[in-house]
Amino acid sequence: TRKFMEPVALWREPATRPIRVTRDPDASSFYMPNAEFFERLPDPTLQQVVAEVDVTAIPLDHYKMPLDASIDFIKLDVQAAELDVMVGAQRCMEDGVLAVIGEMLFTPHYLEQPWFGDFDSFMRGHGYQLFDIDLRRWRRRALPAAFDGVRVGGVSYGDALYLKDPIAFHLKND
């Protein structure tokens, strides 16, 4: 298996979009962080925007794959833009993507973000079924740090695994 790493931003359609770069770079997103939500958490400064950088984004369906490569599996952790990326990957899904893992949000991390329900409905509409979710919890600032790592706090986000129904896929493509 070969891995391809290229500096390509993915979105639902070709566009130039601002990435909001946050103090914690892992929280940077096309979506604006929801400061009101993060004020409830132990260190809200991590999600403060420190810069905006315009980038050119393309749909995954427009990406030129090397040689005869195809996509079997998609892993997304794009800070609320998972649905946007998959909207731009509909041809890839039809061509044989068997599994998708996407980080889903259950709390309002970003303004105007898509929610888990939006992503779930889209994926089910394209023949995928939710197989598993690895949930993560965030403690609120009111709880002391001793509770970190303990199963307390509200469900905030998690990685959802969707699988294409192989029987339905083969019936459609025969």
Side-chain angles (χ1 to χ4, degrees):
T1 302
R2 294 176 55 197
K3 294 181 182 179
F4 300 99
M5 299 289 289
E6 292 192 34
V8 175
L10 299 176
W11 189 247
R12 60 179 52 233
E13 71 234 351
T16 298
R17 299 201 37 95
I19 290 182
R20 279 64 180 221
V21 180
T22 53
R23 192 168 311 283
D24 173 4
D26 290 343
S28 300
S29 177
F30 282 137
Y31 288 91
M32 181 65 74
N34 182 350
E36 186 176 316
F37 170 73
F38 288 113
E39 283 296 324
R40 303 175 192 172
L41 302 178
D43 188 357
T45 65
L46 294 174
Q47 279 72 28
Q48 289 176 341
V49 174
V50 296
E52 287 194 15
V53 178
D54 284 339
V55 298
T56 301
I58 62 168
L60 183 57
D61 284 343
H62 290 190
Y63 181 73
K64 302 288 186 229
M65 295 294 291
L67 302 173
D68 62 348
S70 62
I71 300 172
D72 300 317
F73 178 87
I74 296 174
K75 166 66 169 101
L76 299 169
D77 183 349
V78 290
Q79 303 311 110
E82 287 77 5
L83 177 59
D84 300 293
V85 171
M86 292 310 297
V87 166
Q90 293 182 58
R91 190 185 76 239
C92 290
M93 290 190 297
E94 292 170 9
D95 288 347
V97 172
L98 301 175
V100 176
I101 293 180
E103 186 177 78
M104 300 294 105
L105 300 176
F106 300 98
T107 51
H109 295 215
Y110 300 92
L111 302 177
E112 300 179 11
Q113 73 184 33
W115 293 86
F116 165 72
D118 302 319
F119 189 87
D120 184 67
S121 179
F122 177 84
M123 294 301 289
R124 288 178 187 275
H126 286 83
Y128 292 83
Q129 297 178 354
L130 179 63
F131 185 77
D132 195 14
I133 300 180
D134 181 15
L135 296 174
R136 311 279 177 16
R137 299 170 185 274
W138 278 358
R139 73 175 169 86
R140 302 292 171 112
R141 190 184 343 211
L143 289 173
F147 283 94
D148 281 348
V150 179
R151 191 181 164 113
V152 298
V155 170
S156 184
Y157 66 100
D159 291 327
L161 170 61
Y162 284 84
L163 300 176
K164 187 75 133 181
D165 180 343
I167 295 171
F169 177 76
H170 283 300
L171 290 175
K172 178 182 169 191
N173 291 306
D174 282 341

